[in-house]
Amino acid sequence: MLTLIIDGIAYGMVLFILASGLSVTLGLMNFINLAHGAFAMGGGYASVVLLQRFGIPFLWTLPLAFLAAALAGLLLERIAYRPMYAKSHLDQVMFSIGLVFMAVAGIDYLMGSTQQFVRLPEWLQGRFELGGVAVGRYRLFVIVLCGLLALAMQWGFMRTRFGSRLRAAVDDARVARGLGIPVNAIFALTFAFGSGLAGLGGAIGIELMGLDPSFPLKFMIYFLIVVTVGGTSTITGPFLAAMLLGIADVAGKYFLPQVGAFIIYALMVVLLLIKPEGLFARSRA
Amino acid sequence: MIGVSLEQRVRAGLAAKRRWHPAEFAFWALALGAAFLFPSKLLILNEIAILALFAISLDLILGYAGIVSLGHAAFFGAGAYAAGLMALHVSADPLVGLLVATLASAIVGFITCPLILKGNDLARLMVTLGIAQLMYELANAFSRITGGADGLQGISMKPLLGRFEFDLFGQTAYFYSLAVLFVLFLVARRIVHAPFGLSLRAIRDNPLRAAASGVPATRRLLMVYTLAAAYAGAAGALLAQTTQFVSLDVLAFHRSADLMLVLIIGGAGYLYGGIIGALAFKLIQDGIAAFTPQYWQFWIGLFLVLFVLGGRDIIHGGIGALARRLGALMPRRGSAP
């Protein structure tokens, strides 16, 4: 039972890392980026390629996955995303779905449609006993790493100058701009950082969630739930939402395997029933 | 007094909109004639007619009422499964199945509608997506009823009206689908050019103001959403009956996304947009699939991105200019691009 909870926490941690960038995009530019998962997949595949083709150890591929996805994010934001901010939500959604389709088919073409695996280093394999509870080494590693990242993000978000500017821009972009905060530059940076985090999450998550070309579509709804439930103005909101979702999903798949992903969608509909108004009210410009 | 004259003006305007343009006769004549012009393409023509009906359904809520939906496949799938199950277990008569399937998905639409009416665009996109995925997982989980990943097999329809057998070449299928499309199109055309349609557009353009001028927004949206669900269900039923097969694919996400693309190509907010979009989409898809069967999704995605990034304005502007020029050249023009 405890093992299950730890698995759920690890899973939720990865979800948080994956989705945190999305919440900023949504909060800051009121832009719904369904292609966020594509960046995560990009990071995952970057890690796989580096590991399998170039023999770089798995841990070293993680920062490279982050960089690759961040770079892609920076470029795409400049070229493609920026003209989209002024368009309607519908256009934005169509645009990002188009990107997802391209990413899915492109990866399928380049890498094949099979599930990808990574070989973890020796010391991350297997399980060990901790107070009578079997804990997967890699899961513990994920929890520690993502936990540290979350703490660092919380610190950066709340304590640094960049963080306070970012919060100001999320709260009211117009006023922030009026005060001389370079909202566009902040947004581009944050977008790149969020994409990088997604890439990192994708690489970390290969072991836990699997990786194949359908990744962005499969996990799109997870990211959206995290953002919906957690809100866009804090780090802690999405964090708690990701934990909840991770544990619910792992427990659901363990206890009721035949129902499958059904639980997640039911959870979302129920949450929307409880909290129907103002889910995205904050992000309304 | 002003009120009376305004009412008369509105009535006159609606009546004028209801009159048929010559090009519309030409359009439907072409649709019928296509069966004789391209007898080897009847199967894809059938698919186009079904997709067009599905697109009209989305246009009703998106183009007229302004409800965005990323999960319209939910109703398409509900209709398809209802028709398939009807044919397997109750009655294989196509028209009975069509009626039951349409009603079934109307009920699904009516039940899920309160979820969608709350919240703004983003919430709606998410809820519709969630509902469609929910339906997909339900269909997957209840594989004893739905056949799961294998789908509903062994459907065999009785002849249409007791006379016309469904043939391998899709002749009956196309005429059947086209007839249903035409009838439902007429209904939709009448509805959107009635005061009801006008009130929908008022809600779409400014919900607050529409409510303030006495439009019962929630009730109207509920009605049109249920209607659109029924249309989508009819489209799903047509697919199930004419292909005699239902699989999980009818509920898949890409179906909802493709449908959006159809409306984006054709243009939302006038009923022909869905039909023209369906025609263009199927031709594009067919063309792409011919040279790269596995990766056509990439090109669909590229189309989406380019369309939204500005291609739409260019294409619609170009067609508009072309139509005007043609219109100047001759009194009668076809509306197909």
Side-chain angles (χ1 to χ4, degrees):
Chain A
M1 184 64 211
L2 272 172
T3 313
L4 210 65
I5 289 180
I6 288 176
D7 280 7
I9 291 176
Y11 193 71
M13 286 278 189
V14 178
L15 273 182
F16 166 69
I17 294 296
L18 281 167
S20 53
L22 185 64
S23 84
V24 178
T25 329
L26 190 61
L28 193 53
M29 282 320 214
N30 197 12
F31 183 93
I32 187 143
N33 180 17
L34 294 182
H36 194 68
F39 291 103
M41 180 174 69
Y45 273 97
S47 168
V48 166
V49 168
L50 288 168
L51 186 78
Q52 289 177 352
R53 304 260 165 91
F54 301 98
I56 298 172
F58 176 67
L59 286 185
W60 282 106
T61 65
L62 293 182
L64 292 172
F66 176 88
L67 279 180
L71 214 61
L74 200 63
L75 269 174
L76 270 177
E77 202 269 337
R78 252 293 147 70
I79 301 168
Y81 277 87
R82 201 161 282 182
M84 296 306 303
Y85 296 144
K87 304 220 171 176
S88 69
H89 283 313
L90 188 63
D91 278 358
Q92 296 173 347
V93 163
M94 297 317 297
F95 167 77
S96 49
I97 286 179
L99 282 187
V100 170
F101 280 175
M102 285 167 74
V104 168
I107 288 286
D108 195 0
Y109 176 71
L110 290 173
M111 305 289 297
S113 59
T114 50
Q115 187 95 16
Q116 298 289 335
F117 297 97
V118 287
R119 205 170 53 78
L120 297 173
E122 288 284 322
W123 57 277
L124 281 176
Q125 290 175 358
R127 295 174 167 248
F128 65 94
E129 294 273 319
L130 192 76
V133 184
V135 180
R137 283 172 204 268
Y138 185 68
R139 292 198 163 51
L140 191 68
F141 168 78
V142 166
I143 291 174
V144 171
L145 179 68
C146 296
L148 287 176
L149 267 173
L151 282 177
M153 276 162 65
Q154 171 74 4
W155 179 80
F157 197 61
M158 300 306 289
R159 299 265 179 241
T160 63
R161 188 171 173 78
F162 182 81
S164 63
R165 285 176 155 195
L166 178 59
R167 272 179 297 141
V170 171
D171 265 354
D172 195 327
R174 246 162 105 187
V175 173
R177 209 170 264 138
L179 288 170
I181 295 173
V183 174
N184 279 353
I186 287 189
F187 183 66
L189 259 181
T190 316
F191 190 93
F193 186 72
S195 308
L197 278 181
L200 178 65
I204 293 176
I206 299 173
E207 182 72 14
L208 300 175
M209 309 169 159
L211 183 67
D212 61 54
S214 68
F215 183 90
L217 285 173
K218 240 189 313 192
F219 286 96
M220 184 165 72
I221 196 103
Y222 286 70
F223 305 152
L224 288 174
I225 295 173
V226 169
V227 175
T228 316
V229 178
T232 57
S233 53
T234 56
I235 299 276
T236 39
F239 182 77
L240 291 176
M243 287 300 120
L244 187 74
L245 183 61
I247 294 173
D249 198 33
V250 169
K253 276 179 184 151
Y254 182 80
F255 289 115
L256 303 160
Q258 69 277 23
V259 190
F262 181 75
I263 289 193
I264 293 305
Y265 303 121
L267 188 73
M268 188 187 86
V269 171
V270 167
L271 282 168
L272 287 165
L273 264 179
I274 299 169
K275 199 184 155 198
E277 281 294 336
L279 280 175
F280 290 97
R282 279 201 51 84
S283 59
R284 244 183 189 157
Chain B
M1 226 161 75
I2 292 168
V4 172
S5 77
L6 178 69
E7 189 187 325
Q8 279 168 347
R9 278 218 317 272
V10 171
R11 279 190 189 288
L14 285 173
K17 283 254 174 73
R18 279 202 291 272
R19 267 196 295 277
W20 278 66
H21 192 278
E24 295 185 73
F25 291 109
F27 183 87
W28 289 101
L30 268 179
L32 192 64
F36 303 103
L37 288 174
F38 310 106
S40 60
K41 299 275 186 204
L42 283 168
L43 288 175
I44 192 162
L45 281 173
N46 178 41
E47 280 179 41
I48 291 172
I50 292 171
L51 186 62
L53 182 58
F54 192 26
I56 287 179
S57 159
L58 184 64
D59 200 15
L60 278 175
I61 59 164
L62 179 70
Y64 287 94
I67 304 174
V68 291
S69 168
L70 258 188
H72 219 52
F75 308 119
F76 188 85
Y81 273 109
L85 291 170
M86 268 297 284
L88 276 181
H89 302 302
V90 187
S91 152
D93 186 75
L95 291 178
V96 175
L98 181 68
L99 199 66
V100 169
T102 309
L103 279 177
S105 43
I107 291 169
V108 175
F110 185 76
I111 292 170
T112 55
C113 190
L115 289 171
I116 282 125
L117 290 183
K118 296 167 181 168
N120 56 15
D121 279 3
L122 290 181
R124 277 176 181 166
L125 286 169
M126 276 206 49
V127 177
T128 48
L129 178 67
I131 290 172
Q133 299 293 88
L134 204 66
M135 297 274 291
Y136 182 90
E137 292 299 334
L138 270 177
N140 197 11
F142 288 94
S143 53
R144 264 196 316 166
I145 302 172
T146 63
D150 295 333
L152 284 179
Q153 285 166 350
I155 299 172
S156 98
M157 301 306 300
K158 285 216 184 96
L160 186 61
L161 299 171
R163 294 184 57 185
F164 305 103
E165 286 276 358
F166 283 98
D167 52 300
L168 272 178
F169 312 101
Q171 197 169 11
T172 313
Y174 178 60
F175 286 124
Y176 176 42
S177 297
L178 188 66
V180 174
L181 170 68
F182 185 63
V183 169
L184 288 180
F185 172 83
L186 287 182
V187 175
R189 195 180 182 281
R190 185 68 182 80
I191 287 174
V192 298
H193 291 147
F196 177 77
L198 209 56
S199 71
L200 287 181
R201 269 167 281 171
I203 295 167
R204 174 194 70 190
D205 292 338
N206 193 337
L208 215 60
R209 191 165 165 191
S213 10
V215 178
T218 312
R219 277 231 319 268
R220 292 282 152 90
L221 291 180
L222 184 66
M223 283 164 79
V224 76
Y225 197 78
T226 309
L227 182 76
Y231 269 55
L238 286 181
L239 185 74
Q241 293 177 344
T242 54
T243 58
Q244 316 216 342
F245 177 67
V246 185
S247 73
L248 281 177
D249 187 59
V250 294
L251 285 163
F253 171 70
H254 73 81
R255 202 171 277 277
S256 306
D258 288 351
L259 187 66
M260 279 284 196
L261 181 57
V262 167
L263 263 198
I264 284 188
I265 294 175
Y270 72 112
L271 294 170
Y272 284 100
I275 305 177
I276 295 168
L279 180 68
F281 179 84
K282 273 287 168 197
L283 292 181
I284 293 170
Q285 192 192 35
D286 207 42
I288 295 171
F291 77 87
T292 163
Q294 203 180 344
Y295 307 111
W296 65 272
Q297 223 184 13
F298 178 86
W299 301 103
I300 294 288
L302 189 66
F303 269 113
L304 265 174
V305 169
L306 292 181
F307 247 96
V308 179
L309 273 176
R312 173 180 41 191
D313 302 336
I314 296 168
I315 291 177
H316 285 180
I319 290 173
L322 196 70
R324 269 193 302 281
R325 194 157 303 168
L326 282 176
L329 282 179
M330 48 182 155
R332 263 177 168 236
R333 62 185 158 83
S335 16

